[in-house]
Amino acid sequence: MAIDIKSNNEIEKMRAAGRLAADVIDMIGPYVKAGISTEELDKICHNYIVDVQKAVPAPLNYHGFPKSICTSINNVVCHGIPGDKKLKKGDIVNIDITVIKDGFHGDTSKMFIIGKANIKAQRICRIAQECLYIGIKKVKPGVRLGEVGKAIGAHADKNNCSVVHDYCGHGIGRNFHAEPQVVHYDDGKLNSGPILEAGMTFTIEPMVNIGGYEVATSRVDGWTVTTKDRSLSAQWEHTILVTKDGYEILTLREEETV
Ligand code: MF3
Ligand code: CO
Ligand code: CO
């Protein structure tokens, strides 16, 4: 059960895939406004990935997922299916993009605030992003992967938020989801997770709730994950490469300063 170490050639392909995924987030940003349906956002992203990027939207038909992107609004934690529901002022929505280019995956997501969200909504979005960045900064050869989750969990705790346990980050490359599993909380183990080595690629994608950490999956569509207590949830995701002296964020956007 070894974790794949990418060759220089594979790393170049991961960079290309990561760049494209980040570009989709930048492209769709101006459309993410009150009145648009998540289905329309899906269509715009799908066409851009296929026609402009000459790439493949990884979610489409992945274990039967019916759309090309995930759109998760308010109390939806992840895996929201785009549909005819329109975004409205005050909503917070996660858009999660995964593209396949030249056989390799890039996976990234961002929270968008529609109009002016209330203070609580803004806060959960900010804390979830801080959790992602704090986790990323732990990445370095020789460090145990568990340190990433411990740091993320501590930041959420400190801010009276909870981190979802049931969904994790993941190794990524030729496969969408591979080893290692990247947990975003302190699992209580002394030596948790593998020791990181240069050339590993994985995602970090904490889902952070205002209320409890428990989630439930829709019995109607089999995908949509919501918070059990209906509290707001936020998530941000990047695809990360372990480099010889730290990390490289393969899905970094120009607007970001980590
Ligand atoms: N992009 C999600 C992740 O970060 C996975 C979506 S799987 C899908 O791992 F089938 F829902 F698209
Ligand atoms: Co992911
Ligand atoms: Co994703």
Side-chain angles (χ1 to χ4, degrees):
M1 305 241 276
I3 297 164
D4 192 37
I5 303 292
K6 268 77 180 171
S7 67
N8 287 337
N9 185 257
E10 291 171 323
I11 288 169
E12 273 314 315
K13 291 180 178 179
M14 286 298 292
R15 284 196 180 104
R19 173 83 271 122
L20 293 182
D23 286 348
V24 177
I25 298 265
D26 281 335
M27 180 281 300
I28 201 64
Y31 296 96
V32 187
K33 294 278 141 62
I36 196 162
S37 70
T38 49
E39 209 157 53
E40 291 173 277
L41 295 174
D42 176 73
K43 190 153 233 89
I44 297 165
C45 289
H46 177 94
N47 290 341
Y48 187 79
I49 292 165
V50 172
D51 298 335
V52 178
Q53 297 187 330
K54 313 287 181 206
V56 174
L60 187 60
N61 301 320
Y62 182 76
H63 295 282
F65 192 79
K67 297 285 182 181
S68 296
I69 67 172
C70 296
T71 51
S72 303
I73 303 172
N74 297 334
N75 62 311
V76 177
V77 172
C78 63
H79 302 168
I81 303 174
D84 56 12
K85 191 167 166 176
K86 290 183 162 74
L87 297 176
K88 57 180 196 314
K89 279 189 188 149
D91 281 345
I92 59 171
V93 59
N94 173 276
I95 298 190
D96 193 336
I97 302 290
T98 313
V99 305
I100 310 170
K101 181 72 174 182
D102 211 358
F104 286 81
H105 290 72
D107 188 7
T108 186
S109 81
K110 170 183 172 172
M111 295 304 297
F112 293 87
I113 297 177
I114 310 305
K116 235 182 96 150
N118 68 42
I119 277 291
K120 272 186 164 178
Q122 287 180 36
R123 183 171 181 273
I124 194 67
C125 291
R126 174 176 57 80
I127 288 167
Q129 188 178 34
E130 288 168 359
C131 282
L132 170 61
Y133 290 166
I134 284 166
I136 288 173
K137 286 178 183 165
K138 290 286 172 190
V139 172
K140 202 176 157 167
V143 168
R144 275 203 192 267
L145 186 55
E147 296 304 316
V148 170
K150 283 189 177 57
I152 290 171
H155 188 65
D157 271 5
K158 196 174 82 186
N159 288 285
N160 278 311
C161 296
S162 61
V163 172
V164 171
H165 291 194
D166 290 2
Y167 295 87
C168 301
H170 47 92
I172 184 167
R174 285 192 183 277
N175 292 318
F176 193 165
H177 295 105
E179 287 192 76
Q181 181 163 292
V182 181
V183 304
H184 302 114
Y185 56 95
D186 185 348
D187 63 8
K189 293 179 191 152
L190 206 51
N191 293 314
S192 173
I195 292 173
L196 298 179
E197 292 174 41
M200 291 178 174
T201 52
F202 52 82
T203 72
I204 303 178
E205 49 181 300
M207 286 141 271
V208 183
N209 304 344
I210 289 188
Y213 70 88
E214 299 92 342
V215 300
T217 304
S218 166
R219 276 186 261 192
V220 179
D221 65 33
W223 282 103
T224 309
V225 178
T226 53
T227 52
K228 253 195 178 140
D229 59 12
R230 301 250 142 208
S231 70
L232 289 179
S233 184
Q235 178 181 30
W236 298 73
E237 173 175 27
H238 272 313
T239 298
I240 307 297
L241 164 71
V242 184
T243 61
K244 73 179 199 316
D245 36 34
Y247 60 84
E248 182 178 324
I249 303 175
L250 301 179
T251 46
L252 190 69
R253 298 181 306 281
E254 204 159 355
E255 67 180 3
E256 290 181 279
T257 39
V258 177

